Amino acid sequence: MANLALTARSLPVRGVVLTAPRPAPVGVFLGVAGLVFAALLMGGLNIVAFGQMSPLDTTMSDYVFVPGAGWMFPAALLAMCVAGAGVAVGLAARGLLPGVLPKLSLGLAMLGLLLAAVFPTDLGEVSVTLSALIHRYAAGVVFFCVPITAVLVARRVARRRALYLGATVASVLLALFLTCHLGPMPDALGELSGLLQRLLFVAELVVLGQLVRVVSRPPAEYALAA
């Protein structure tokens, strides 16, 4: 199935009505605001807790136990969820959420962020409570679903290389992070698991930022499936 670039020079296609995507200022505003607050809160938390927890081998989830600043961790996740909501509003307005899969992946990502913010983990490496298990698997859903959403959206736009690159980088970092907990790899990468998770978090923010950029593009940069 071919893609038709929606540009000023595009010729009309017989039997196909191409409508210009609607502007989505609300989605762009929510996306930018959510990403800025998420980055500031998580970045500030890393600085505040630097002397208490090593960023190399401790998970970001443990930041919730930092005295006086632990609230910044769930707040950062909720801000990221707001950014995801902005992306959803914007993509829907642009007509870039067709079918079930894009809606499902983005919806699961936002649900995972909400659950990870509401249910804290256990202090230490062993997660034994129900809250910690919900937090762990909810975070995993987020890490998987954000790149998947980017790939699904990239198939609908003309300028897609950056989205594919962002999703690939996030996926590679996710694979490396998972190897810290599987098989013989913990001995090799275990001491860097915290660093890998932080890089993965940054990559996920970047991918969401790329999706916000897609929402803010002028209509001429879109491609619609014919």
Side-chain angles (χ1 to χ4, degrees), residues 8 31 63 67 144 180 202:
Y63 281 150
F144 273 101
C180 296
V202 172

Side-chain angles (χ1 to χ4, degrees), residues 3-84:
N3 286 331
L4 296 177
L6 187 59
T7 66
R9 297 181 179 179
S10 296
L11 296 177
V13 181
R14 180 174 300 177
V16 177
V17 178
L18 297 180
T19 58
R22 293 175 293 168
V26 174
V28 174
F29 173 78
L30 291 176
V32 172
L35 289 175
V36 168
F37 277 103
L40 289 177
L41 287 167
M42 197 63 76
L45 187 52
N46 274 269
I47 294 174
V48 170
F50 184 77
Q52 304 176 47
M53 297 181 181
S54 171
L56 296 179
D57 57 4
T58 58
T59 64
M60 297 170 63
S61 301
D62 290 340
Y63 281 150
V64 73
F65 299 105
V66 176
W71 62 271
M72 297 172 69
F73 178 77
L77 297 185
L78 291 176
M80 195 172 174
C81 185
V82 170

Side-chain angles (χ1 to χ4, degrees), residues 93-221:
R94 294 293 196 179
L96 295 174
L97 281 180
V100 176
L101 288 181
K103 296 181 181 68
L104 180 62
S105 61
L106 188 54
L108 287 176
M110 288 188 291
L111 178 61
L113 286 166
L114 181 61
L115 292 177
V118 173
F119 294 93
T121 188
D122 295 335
L123 184 61
E125 298 181 358
V126 180
S127 299
V128 294
T129 66
L130 178 61
S131 176
L133 292 175
I134 293 176
H135 177 88
R136 172 183 292 183
Y137 289 109
V141 168
V142 176
F143 289 147
F144 273 101
C145 287
V146 171
I148 291 174
T149 302
V151 171
L152 293 174
V153 172
R155 299 171 59 188
R156 298 282 296 177
V157 298
R159 296 172 58 183
R160 63 193 71 182
R161 183 175 300 177
L163 277 174
Y164 282 139
L165 178 60
T168 300
V169 171
S171 300
V172 170
L173 289 171
L174 176 59
L176 290 175
F177 176 67
L178 291 177
T179 59
C180 296
H181 308 280
L182 301 173
M185 296 306 294
D187 294 336
L189 295 176
E191 296 181 356
L192 298 177
S193 61
L195 176 61
L196 288 172
Q197 188 190 42
R198 285 158 178 80
L199 291 175
L200 175 58
F201 180 82
V202 172
E204 300 275 329
L205 288 182
V206 170
V207 172
L208 283 176
Q210 291 176 319
L211 291 173
V212 173
R213 175 68 182 92
V214 168
V215 173
S216 66
R217 288 177 185 172
E221 296 185 17

